[in-house]
Amino acid sequence: MAQFKDRVPLPPVNAQKTNLTCHFCIVGCGYHVYKWDENREGGRAPDQNALGVDFRTQVAPLTQIMTPAMHNLIEDSDGRRYNVMVLPDKACTVNQGLSSVRGGQMATYMYNPSGDAKARLKSPRLFTGAQWVDTTWDDALAIYCGVAKKILDKDGPSGLVFNCFDHGGAGGGFENTWGTGKLMFTALQTPMVRIHNRPAYNSECHATRDMGVGELNNSYEDAEVADCIMGIGANQYETQTNYFLAHWIPNLQGGTEAKRKQWFPNEPLPPTRAIFVDPRRTNTIAIAEQVAKDRVLHLDIQPGTDIALFNGLFTYVVEQGWIDKDFIAKNTTGFDAAVAANKLSLDECSRITGVPVAKLRQAAEWAYKPKAPGVLPRTMHAYEKGIIWGNDNYLIQSALVDLVLATRNVGRRGTGCVRMGGHQEGYTRPPYPGNSKIFIDEELMKGKGKMLTAWGCNNFQTTLNAQAYRTEIHRRSNIVKDAMNKARGATPAQMVDVIVDACNKGGLFVTTIDLYPVMFSEASSMLLPAAHPGEMNLTSMNGERRCRLSQKFMDPPGTARPDCLIAAAIANTLKSMYRADGNAAMAARFDGFEWKTEEDVFNDGFRRAGQAGAPPIDSQGGGTGNLATYERLRVMGNNGVQLPIKEYKDGKLIGTEMLYMDGKFDTADGKAKFLPSPWPGLPKPVADLKAKHRFWINNGRINEVWQTGYHNKYNAYVRGRYPMSIIEMNPDDMASLKIEPGDFVEVYNDWGTTFAMAYPEPDQKPGQTFMQFGYDNGVQGDVTTNWTDRNIIPYYKGTWASIRRAGSGAEHRNTISFKSRRYDRV
């Protein structure tokens, strides 16, 4: 089986057509999937292909984006083979026909035994006899649930530990968060759960929520009509590509002027400006400067000084009177206390951040100075990991939202204080059963917990203090592996006893549930195969709360299952075990998992939230999620509905474009809450590293690689371009260490050591670097400290290290381009 390499086949008129939201970033671009028999193709005439495009003559540019990567050949479980083509939907308001380098390759990542996804898990696997062997679901569940039951009965819920996703998109979604959540929190009742990218069960936006401002509160369309857009710690082009290209850039180019005039006919509408807060000059800034050079301002702050920046701007606009006093008086509390606590002059702000006073004043004028008497500008603030994983997550967000509330840049069209996002969203779970936040990584490293399930995440590549974490997990898991390897002829029941005995001696029984064998699998004793969107029906919402249904169009490989149905199988197996024991009370905890389809799960969780007789359910769909059905979402297509849903009328779901327009916020009294957020300086562990080591190791995603690269590492182009994590360095710094482009370098400090491929970048400041985060060959988290804020949110961005040349990259230089990755330097 091989896909076409030299041409793109056309789907015939009668090809099956379904909707698919991109698996990857939070933008959630809309795509159509065409599926048809292997040995047929459509014709070039418009009435001969499903696209209705006349390919007999040259079509206009971007009429329909089609590439070989958008086609694949698949085989369903009945043995029949089909062509599939995954094309961007021009009618989707999100991407408007654009496809990113990630979404544009979704077809490639659909399972084909000779394609990029050939390494997919196809059946449960057990590590025994010092090798991985395939097994059946019955045997795998007998062992997994047998161990879980014995630990639950003897040690209680805290003996069961989970690393688990809480997001939407691939590996998540409302169905899968509900299935896993109901298992962990209602049935097993364990508090020992951490999120995929942070070491506790927590939010990345505690402060904004405490202040009454949910982190996804506007629409992408608001970026098209804003007077000023402030991008904060977010490289939008590389991490939310089509949101930036389809909604930000047209505004900066003047292409949305008519819409601005229509929306705000009585306001001055000067050309839109953009302010970027980031220590480095990113690709996003480079592109913005190409289209609006004199209207782009880069506040290149010193690492970790965001709080001081926001406090300085906050103090200045209050002094200037560029605030909405009436809104503050009627709709907020705590303003005076925040003004006093956050007070910081522009001179002091400049000293801390390294940004000249003139630049600070210019930023304040662009973003907050009234356009006319009594007419405040509409400034959208869009932030992401730069502050979420920055120097004290809670204080940074408090400082930012204080500034936003004072200038009323939330709840008005063209504004918003919103996170840009990583994954899509899709949270529906029972309430977390713990009384406090638990630093799960540290507990495991102290010997706590006996059974660990890594579900749809790979913390070996994405946690803090990662080298120490991996070392201890391997040490404990090897106790169990050694015991299993010595078992001869053991039945599943006997193997359960072997595993539990090893766990009682300090061991850790590790199971990975995922699409592929990942780095965490190296410490695992069991692997369970999961499915992703397209192989299952899945609902998620994007960064503007737009909920869509991705429809199943193919079978998963082998016996792989959706995560929600794996959770159901575990629950039902445990229920049977407790019934066999005659323990009706424990068996009852596992009631309600009689799901046969993903739609059953959706109806049980998302649609029951807030309804009479339902248990407590925390859901991003709120109390009106019941209005959404699979059929109604299917009809809404790739435009879906923005949550919360207002009503179902005339065959359509009516959603909410912007939150807080009524001036009521998510607090008990409906008033937004200012929070004091004084500048704290750097945390001591981080300050100690800065004093000792030469280089700041900034980190984040790059455009071509999604998350941990679980798909991408099998893609020849991506692996050829990025054989290991890159670290962008200033060329003069490289020369001082005799490092050439492509050389292997060791990055090390008091917390660990890792390796990377040196990549020269003139826009990197001396003493500052940028290392690819989460990749499998060179884990940046190995040199991150274990410091967290009050809510156990890591300071991933806060580490300094030394760098040495570790080996020649001559082979890299022969095959890889080391031209600048900045748009204007290519």
Side-chain angles (χ1 to χ4, degrees), residues 197-507:
N197 64 359
R198 48 200 188 272
Y201 204 82
N202 52 16
S203 164
E204 290 180 317
C205 300
H206 282 287
T208 69
R209 295 180 185 182
D210 288 349
M211 301 169 84
V213 181
E215 61 270 25
L216 301 175
N217 51 67
N218 73 354
S219 292
Y220 288 169
E221 196 171 18
D222 288 293
E224 299 177 22
V225 296
D227 295 314
C228 181
I229 302 174
M230 184 179 287
I232 304 161
N235 183 7
Q236 291 82 5
Y237 170 70
E238 297 206 57
T239 56
Q240 297 89 16
T241 306
N242 289 332
Y243 178 23
F244 179 69
L245 294 178
H247 302 276
W248 291 35
I249 289 298
N251 191 0
L252 290 175
Q253 290 175 320
T256 59
E257 184 177 359
K259 180 180 287 188
R260 294 176 70 202
K261 288 179 179 178
Q262 179 184 1
W263 283 31
F264 316 122
N266 300 317
E267 293 184 15
L269 296 172
T272 299
R273 294 158 166 162
I275 301 169
F276 294 97
V277 180
D278 201 305
R280 68 183 182 123
R281 183 175 182 267
T282 63
N283 231 334
T284 301
I285 298 171
I287 293 170
E289 288 176 344
Q290 289 292 303
V291 301
K293 175 65 177 177
D294 297 329
R295 291 179 282 113
V296 174
L297 185 63
H298 179 199
L299 302 182
D300 51 340
I301 62 173
Q302 287 297 305
T305 62
D306 309 77
I307 297 169
L309 173 69
F310 300 138
N311 285 352
L313 293 175
F314 178 57
T315 300
Y316 184 72
V317 298
V318 171
E319 291 173 347
Q320 298 300 310
W322 299 343
I323 58 177
D324 192 325
K325 296 179 181 179
D326 185 60
F327 169 77
I328 292 169
K330 293 180 180 179
N331 302 92
T332 74
T333 62
F335 174 70
D336 291 338
V339 170
N342 300 5
K343 188 172 183 178
L344 198 69
S345 70
L346 288 190
D347 286 336
E348 184 66 5
C349 178
S350 176
R351 183 190 67 80
I352 295 170
T353 64
V355 179
V357 170
K359 252 186 167 181
L360 295 171
R361 187 176 290 113
Q362 184 179 22
E365 291 176 354
W366 280 16
Y368 311 116
K369 185 177 181 179
K371 299 187 291 183
V375 183
L376 292 174
R378 299 174 184 269
T379 296
M380 188 184 89
H381 299 73
Y383 63 90
E384 194 39 44
K385 294 298 191 298
I387 67 171
I388 287 175
W389 289 351
N391 177 14
D392 198 318
N393 168 289
Y394 197 87
L395 286 181
I396 298 178
Q397 292 186 16
S398 300
L400 172 60
V401 179
D402 284 342
L403 175 61
V404 167
L405 289 174
T407 54
R408 200 183 176 186
N409 276 305
V410 65
R412 293 189 299 144
R413 298 313 304 262
T415 73
C417 183
V418 294
R419 66 171 298 182
M420 291 295 295
H423 295 83
Q424 288 163 62
E425 301 284 317
Y427 191 92
T428 298
R429 276 184 175 151
Y432 171 67
N435 296 319
S436 62
K437 298 175 181 67
I438 303 171
F439 199 149
I440 299 297
D441 289 14
E442 295 286 339
E443 294 298 295
L444 287 168
M445 292 165 70
K446 293 174 184 175
K448 303 291 181 64
K450 293 184 176 180
M451 181 175 179
L452 171 62
T453 302
W455 206 325
C457 58
N458 181 4
N459 302 127
F460 277 179
Q461 293 172 219
T462 59
T463 198
L464 71 171
N465 194 18
Q467 183 176 331
Y469 176 75
R470 282 200 311 274
T471 299
E472 185 59 18
I473 298 299
H474 274 296
R475 186 195 69 78
R476 294 189 62 195
S477 70
N478 282 337
I479 296 173
V480 174
K481 284 187 172 184
D482 289 345
M484 294 175 68
N485 288 340
K486 293 174 184 176
R488 302 290 187 270
T491 64
Q494 291 169 333
M495 187 63 81
V496 168
D497 290 336
V498 169
I499 293 169
V500 172
D501 180 65
C503 291
N504 289 335
K505 295 175 181 176

